């Protein structure tokens, strides 16, 4: 039995076949996981909506209002909440690209008067043990029941009323910027939301 001579053509063909098989395999697995990923993302969003809003009985996901804005790359999502046909608040997704490690994305629940019901962090890539503390009650609690019209949503170092996370002022600034942008978008369309389910 003679041994095949190794040539450039043989090596190139082998690499092409291996690359094609790997590429098709990865594409197939990716297609298999698309639906579960979408379901998980939707479940996370629904859980966040329940956490930031008072009790509601409408289908928030199907009634989402998307607003084009110059502040965010994507359109801002606003979820108006109703209970027995009465407007009880809205959840707004706010984001800032100015986090220490990039994007900070939050969902802010507002009461009809504009005060904050609750906030949930949807996405962040901040430093573990520092910026990631933005998810903790100690930090989030200072926003509840505060109305940004008379509560300055800036860290105290910048003249605001928010106590920054220790060692994570940049992350805190990004969080407050995202909360302020959510409030600004809410106030722009609040009047149209209160009438939309009547």
């Amino acid at each position: 039995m003679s041994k095949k001579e190794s040539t450039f053509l043989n090596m190139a063909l082998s690499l092409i076949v291996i690359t094609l098989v790997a590429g098709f395999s990865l594409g197939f697995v990716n297609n298999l996981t698309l639906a579960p990923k979408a379901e998980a993302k939707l479940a996370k969003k629904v859980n966040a909506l329940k956490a930031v809003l008072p009790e509601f009985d409408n289908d928030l996901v199907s009634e989402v209002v998307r607003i084009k804005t110059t502040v965010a790359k994507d359109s801002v999502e606003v979820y108006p909440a109703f209970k027995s046909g009465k407007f009880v608040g809205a959840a707004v997704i706010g984001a800032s690209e100015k986090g220490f490690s990039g994007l900070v994305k939050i969902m802010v629940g507002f009461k009809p008067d504009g005060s904050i019901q609750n906030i949930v962090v949807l996405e962040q890539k901040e430093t573990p043990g520092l910026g990631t503390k933005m998810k903790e009650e100690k930090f989030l609690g200072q926003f509840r029941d505060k109305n940004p019209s008379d509560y300055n949503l800036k860290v105290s170092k910048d003249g605001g009323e928010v106590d920054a996370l220790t060692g994570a002022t940049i992350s805190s600034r990004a969080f407050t910027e995202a909360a302020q942008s959510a409030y600004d978008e809410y106030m722009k369309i609040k009047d149209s939301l209160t009438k939309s389910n009547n």
Side-chain angles (χ1 to χ4, degrees):
M1 195 187 302
S2 67
K3 188 176 180 186
K4 260 193 174 175
E5 193 175 311
S6 180
T7 65
F8 178 74
L9 184 60
N10 288 344
M11 287 189 290
L13 283 173
S14 297
L15 284 175
I16 289 171
V17 169
I18 291 169
T19 304
L20 287 173
V21 169
F24 283 119
S25 299
L26 287 172
F28 179 73
V29 170
N30 185 51
N31 283 339
L32 285 178
T33 60
L34 283 178
K37 284 181 194 174
E39 288 173 15
K41 191 174 182 180
L42 179 62
K44 183 178 180 181
K45 192 173 280 188
V46 169
N47 288 338
L49 288 165
K50 289 177 182 174
V52 301
L53 290 169
E55 193 175 330
F56 57 90
D57 58 13
N58 62 313
D59 181 12
L60 295 174
V61 175
S62 68
E63 296 175 18
V64 64
V65 177
R66 288 183 174 81
I67 305 166
K68 287 280 189 199
T69 179
T70 58
V71 179
K73 288 181 181 178
D74 297 329
S75 51
V76 174
E77 295 177 6
V78 180
Y79 298 87
F82 295 89
K83 178 77 173 172
S84 302
K86 182 181 177 211
F87 180 70
V88 294
V92 182
I93 294 181
S96 172
E97 296 282 343
K98 296 180 182 173
F100 186 74
S101 298
L103 179 69
V104 172
K105 191 174 190 179
I106 61 175
M107 181 180 287
V108 185
F110 293 102
K111 298 175 185 176
D113 68 354
S115 59
I116 296 172
Q117 171 84 17
N118 200 4
I119 301 177
V120 170
V121 178
L122 296 176
E123 196 177 324
Q124 55 83 23
K125 295 177 179 101
E126 301 305 284
T127 307
L130 294 174
T132 56
K133 289 185 177 182
M134 69 176 62
K135 294 179 175 182
E136 294 180 3
E137 176 60 30
K138 184 177 178 185
F139 183 71
L140 293 173
Q142 64 185 322
F143 295 92
R144 280 193 204 99
D145 297 319
K146 300 289 195 280
N147 192 320
S149 66
D150 56 21
Y151 182 77
N152 191 345
L153 284 178
K154 289 185 178 178
V155 295
S156 53
K157 282 184 177 181
D158 298 337
E161 298 178 60
V162 176
D163 291 330
L165 295 164
T166 304
T169 305
I170 294 171
S171 301
S172 301
R173 284 181 178 133
F175 186 98
T176 58
E177 180 182 281
Q180 184 66 52
S181 79
Y183 174 74
D184 293 343
E185 295 305 321
Y186 173 66
M187 293 310 290
K188 285 178 191 174
I189 67 162
K190 182 178 96 163
D191 291 336
S192 67
L193 294 176
T194 59
K195 300 169 189 146
S196 64
N197 202 21
N198 294 334

